[in-house]
Amino acid sequence: MTTAYSETNRAPGTERVPGRSWTVRLTGHGDRTATVTCSTAACRMPPRSKDLAALRSFAAQHAAAHAKAATLRPNAACHCRADHCAAHEDTKVHCTGAAVLILRHDPTIGRVWSVEEVCETCAPLIPHARTLARAPRPRPAATETPAPAATARAGVPGGFSSPSAPADGDPPRRRPNQGPRRPRRPGGGQAR
């Protein structure tokens, strides 16, 4: 049985931080030119151009560069949840699980690329999304006691162990096809 990663089974001292998102957009203009914009203001974009194929290629490479440069934070909250799960509004779920980094791009529209930190529950529900990285699940605190060592079984001559031989201190086991034992008569035969 798997348990969903949630607020209650987080490692102590790890607070959720807002999930990040980078959006690269190709925008067309009335004069048959286009521009590429990025949600990160520090990014330098090419000038407005009529070469749509070059701009589309640049936008895809720029989104891939953001995905490669981003370090997935294991304590990131679901960015999809911040948008009220609008990317998969037909299917409502509770945002749970470890953080994953996805790249979203609808090839039929081809104008927007998004790199987002979302939860592993929302990721498969978002259309046209590909998972790029998964955060490792935090391990629970080591409060469990170690399991007791297995008892050794009696050895059989030749160096093999017998799975049916009783361990030291165990009562001898009976074969299931044997009937009840009858007391022996003093004359050597069994009582009838």
Side-chain angles (χ1 to χ4, degrees), residues 3 5 8 18 22 24 55 70 88-89 93 107 135 139 154 184 192:
T3 306
Y5 177 77
T8 57
W22 299 268
V24 180
L55 290 178
H88 59 88
E89 59 188 12
V93 295
R139 295 181 180 234
R184 292 189 169 256
R192 293 195 188 250

Side-chain angles (χ1 to χ4, degrees), residues 112-131:
V112 179
W113 293 258
S114 296
V115 177
E116 302 172 6
E117 289 176 321
V118 298
C119 71
E120 66 185 356
T121 304
C122 289
L125 300 175
I126 298 173
H128 309 291
R130 182 177 51 153
T131 301

Side-chain angles (χ1 to χ4, degrees), residues 38-58:
C38 181
S39 61
T40 305
C43 292
R44 292 181 24 201
M45 297 291 115
R48 191 170 175 163
S49 172
K50 288 188 176 190
D51 188 358
L52 295 178
L55 290 178
R56 188 181 313 272
S57 175
F58 175 84

